[in-house]
Structures are given as C-alpha cells and as structure tokens.
Amino acid sequence: MNFKRSVLAGAVLFAASMVTAQAAEKVKVEYWSNSLSPKFDAVMKDLTAKFNASQTQVEAVWVDVGWDAFQARVVTAVASGKVPGLVNLPKPWMDDFAQKKMIVPITKEAASFKNVYTKGALADVTYNGQQYGLPWYQVTGVLFYNKDLFAKAGIKEAPKSFDQLLAAAKQVKEKTGVTGFAPKLQDGFSGWFLYDGLPLLKDNKAVFNSPAHVKLLEKFAAAYKDGSIPKDVFKMGFEEQIAAYNAGKIAMFAEGAHALKRTQTDSKKIYEATGVAGFPQGAGKTPFGGFLFLWSVPKGFKDVDAAVKLGQFLTNDESQLAFAKASSTFPSTNKALDDAYFQAGAKSADPVQQATAVAATHIKASRTLTISGLPDEAAMNKKLNDEVEAAVTGRKSAKEALDAAVAMWNEKLAAKK
C-alpha cells in the first residue's frame, strides 16, 4: 500500500513538474498593433484571449502603439535587439522596412496557408519575390454615380473600363452641364500610373515619361480642359468631394463603401438616385483606392515560427471577420469576404448595402497603389505632383512635365548610390 502511494505521489509530482516546465517554456510573442486602442480594445483583447486559450507553447501579448510613434519605435526596437514578434504595418511601410532589412521574409513559414488570402493581398505583401507579411484588414474604392444624371445624359450602365468612365464623364458634362467625375488627385498621381500598369522605376531609374505615361496624363488634361473633371480637382479631399456629390455638382466619385453614409444623412434625394459599381480595373489588374494593413516579423525576433503562428491566427477567416465587423473594414481572405455579412446587400436597393457587397467582391483583386523607399520621398513626390498639375491644367505639355519630374527623380536616385 505504501509502495502504491509512493508511486502515485511520484506520478503526480512528475505531471506537475511537466506542466510547470511547459508553462515556463512558453514563447511570449508581443505583437504591436497600429493605433487601434481604445476604440478596438474589445475585439483585440478577445482575439488575444482566444489565441492564448488555444495554445500550450505560445503566449500572445498585445500592445498598441500610436501612429505617429510607430515607425520610430520599430526602428529603435530593431536597433536594440529587443523586438516584438509581430508589427502591424501599412503596405508602404512594409516595403520600406523590407528594403532596409528591418523585417524578415516569411515565405517558407507561410507557404502552407498563403492561399487563404486574396490574390491582390498576396501581391501586396510580396517584395522582391519574397513574402514579408500576413495580410490583415483593407479597404478599396467603389464607384458611386448619380443615376438621374446618367439617364439625362443617355448613359444606360456603369462604365466597365477607365476609358469608358472618362467617356461617360464627358457625356454627362456635355448633356447636363454637370461635372462628370472627381478623380483623386490631391494626394498625388503615382498611383494612377500603377493603376494603369505603368512602372515608375526600372533598374533604379525613373521611367514615367514614356509614351504610355504621357498618354495617360494627356487623358486627364483633356478631361480637365472639357470640364469632365472639376477645375478645383487638385484641392478636393474627401470632404470637398462628398460635399460636391451631395450637392449634385459631380456625377461620379470613388471612395470606400462607408463614404455614402454621409449622403444618406445629408442628401436623401441624391442618395436615392445613387448607383453603385466596382471601380473599373486598369491595366494593372486592380481597382483604384485599395490600401492594406498586414503583420510582419521584425528582424531579431528569435522564434519566427511562433510569431507566424500568432499571425496566422490573427489573419484566419474567423479572426479577420471579427475584426472587420468591429472596424467597418474588409478582411483579406477569400472565405471571409464571401461571408453573408458582406454579401447580404448584393441584391438590396439600398446603396450602402450594395456598396458593401460590391467592395467585398472587387477587393479580391485590389492592390495598394503606392511607391516606397525613395531617397527623398516627400520632395520627389511633390515634384511629380507639381508637374502633373501643370500638365493637367494646361500650363505645360504632358511630355515636358514628366520629363522634368523624371530628371529630378533620377538626380535624387543617382545621389543615393
């Protein structure tokens, strides 16, 4: 009897020691989100708790870092060697950090599950042929149009290509006197080149003065000249754009699905006349207006597998759907985008519900149309934008303007070598 008791006691002690050892060996993965607290505390704490409850070897610790401090804090962490396991980056920052080797490729670690993500999102997290992130939440542009103005202009359906969009804008202006389309130009023009499948750089040289680039810019200049786009287009941010649409001063604009809620509140007549369509894909095989956030592993984190395990959980269908519902954004996995939550409004007569379903479908091809890693990014983009404005408003030819911008860019790029 005593022998049995001693064996039992030994077994209990052994089991307890094993549990203690396993607990002690847990890999802590601190992960830094980007400006999500306090608004999204509930969903992030819930996701963290669910992950930890499912794990015996990995423990997640959530930390939120403000937008303005985020990049500097990551740089400092990498320099010190005391890094978190995951950092929440927008696509342009990922490119910049990958170029500077501050984050590590996870191509092999993510190979077994990468196909759950959309084609566009996977392209976004790829840099120089390597995967540097796990896609998370995203937004994309949807085309809103005034059906009454389309009817008066004799236009029977939404445009299916960008050339058709510009033609419809011109027809609206000619037939109704109302400006046809307000493109996003205030934040720069480089995205429009990428949308049209046209590169900005090749072999570390600016190449956006080719005949194809000139032709695209000339299309905007022609639209400006004939009144198809607004005369104050370079000053139109979101507020000005939505106000013009709500006042019936423009027939078409592109924004996220959420934008039309302002119209629903401020201009019910325009809201009831609003049609919704996916923004036509350009030659770059993407709609315009996409923007992706993702999770990357910083250089220096010792257990990349543990970090990727947490990243896989945060970006799986269930987790992405939970965050999307809480944040009014869209997930980046195919299955989550097909969920009834997004697709329920596909046949609805309500424009906001329609827009949600349209965006969830078209976002599968959506790319973040930005260029990063320039040696003097602010000055280079300003030069391009200033020259584009000069060409669109008729103060320079498109070729002359782009030649000037390319020359300046190449000076900056050469000086970096």
Side-chain angles (χ1 to χ4, degrees):
M1 189 68 177
N2 290 338
F3 175 75
K4 288 182 180 180
R5 285 179 180 174
S6 64
V7 170
L8 180 60
V12 170
L13 286 171
F14 177 77
S17 67
M18 288 297 294
V19 171
T20 302
Q22 288 178 354
E25 291 172 5
K26 269 192 175 183
V27 177
K28 282 194 175 183
V29 181
E30 193 172 284
Y31 70 108
W32 294 359
S33 63
N34 197 327
S35 286
L36 297 184
S37 185
K39 189 172 183 180
F40 305 113
D41 281 2
V43 65
M44 295 306 297
K45 288 179 180 179
D46 184 58
L47 290 175
T48 304
K50 285 181 177 178
F51 175 79
N52 287 338
S54 72
Q55 299 296 310
T56 58
Q57 296 179 327
V58 181
E59 180 182 358
V61 179
W62 173 52
V63 176
D64 190 67
V65 180
W67 177 273
D68 291 339
F70 201 97
Q71 285 180 286
R73 188 162 171 182
V74 173
V75 171
T76 301
V78 172
S80 70
K82 297 178 180 179
V83 294
L86 291 173
V87 288
N88 177 207
L89 307 174
K91 156 67 172 173
W93 293 6
M94 187 208 83
D95 288 350
D96 186 43
F97 284 171
Q99 185 182 54
K100 294 175 180 175
K101 302 187 184 306
M102 294 176 59
I103 54 176
V104 299
I106 52 172
T107 308
K108 293 180 181 179
E109 290 83 357
S112 64
F113 62 91
K114 70 175 185 178
N115 289 332
V116 304
Y117 306 112
T118 67
K119 183 178 179 181
L122 272 178
D124 263 5
V125 297
T126 301
Y127 181 85
N128 279 351
Q130 294 287 332
Q131 184 174 339
Y132 276 88
L134 299 175
W136 197 27
Y137 69 92
Q138 58 179 336
V139 295
T140 195
V142 175
L143 184 68
F144 299 111
Y145 61 96
N146 187 313
K147 292 186 290 186
D148 289 345
L149 289 173
F150 266 39
K152 290 178 182 178
I155 302 170
K156 296 183 179 180
E157 61 180 6
K160 292 181 170 58
S161 70
F162 189 61
D163 283 343
Q164 286 183 12
L165 189 155
L166 292 178
K170 184 176 182 180
Q171 192 168 332
V172 167
K173 179 64 177 178
E174 291 175 345
K175 300 293 186 180
T176 71
V178 175
T179 299
F181 173 56
K184 288 181 177 292
L185 296 180
Q186 186 192 45
D187 295 331
F189 199 79
S190 60
W192 287 105
F193 285 140
L194 297 173
Y195 165 76
D196 205 36
L198 302 173
L200 279 84
L201 300 176
K202 186 176 182 181
D203 298 326
N204 204 42
K205 290 186 177 180
V207 294
F208 53 82
N209 59 344
S210 76
H213 292 82
V214 170
K215 183 178 179 181
L216 177 63
L217 184 53
E218 287 176 341
K219 290 179 181 180
F220 281 86
Y224 183 90
K225 184 176 181 179
D226 64 29
S228 299
I229 63 178
K231 296 303 179 186
D232 59 348
V233 65
F234 288 97
K235 297 179 181 178
M236 291 185 78
F238 171 78
E239 294 294 336
E240 293 80 11
Q241 196 175 62
I242 195 70
Y245 181 77
N246 291 348
K249 294 180 179 179
I250 57 174
M252 291 181 283
F253 76 106
E255 251 303 342
H258 66 283
L260 211 61
K261 291 182 179 180
R262 290 280 292 275
T263 307
Q264 187 178 29
T265 301
D266 299 344
S267 185
K268 291 186 178 181
K269 185 177 180 180
I270 297 291
Y271 183 77
E272 291 170 358
T274 295
V276 182
F279 197 91
Q281 286 192 22
K285 305 300 181 183
T286 176
F288 194 84
F291 201 81
L292 176 74
F293 277 80
L294 53 108
W295 293 102
S296 290
V297 180
K299 179 182 178 182
F301 190 71
K302 294 181 180 180
D303 198 329
V304 175
D305 287 337
V308 171
K309 179 177 284 190
L310 172 58
Q312 181 181 6
F313 173 84
L314 293 171
T315 61
N316 68 24
D317 296 313
E318 182 181 352
S319 297
Q320 291 226 32
L321 190 58
F323 185 81
K325 289 179 178 180
S327 62
S328 297
T329 59
F330 291 89
S332 56
T333 65
N334 293 293
K335 186 176 178 181
L337 286 166
D338 290 336
D339 190 85
Y341 175 78
F342 299 109
Q343 298 299 334
K347 297 181 180 180
S348 172
D350 180 76
V352 167
Q353 293 183 27
Q354 285 181 40
T356 299
V358 167
T361 299
H362 286 260
I363 206 169
K364 291 182 178 181
S366 188
R367 296 289 311 275
T368 305
L369 300 174
T370 60
I371 181 169
S372 302
L374 300 175
D376 191 353
E377 192 165 321
M380 292 167 76
N381 282 327
K382 184 178 187 305
K383 178 63 174 177
L384 173 57
N385 298 338
D386 288 346
E387 294 294 342
V388 164
E389 184 172 354
V392 170
T393 57
R395 292 181 282 118
K396 282 187 176 182
S397 72
K399 182 68 166 67
E400 182 184 9
L402 293 181
D403 281 346
V406 163
M408 184 269 200
W409 275 45
N410 283 333
E411 286 179 7
K412 294 285 188 180
L413 291 165
K416 182 186 176 184
K417 293 180 180 178

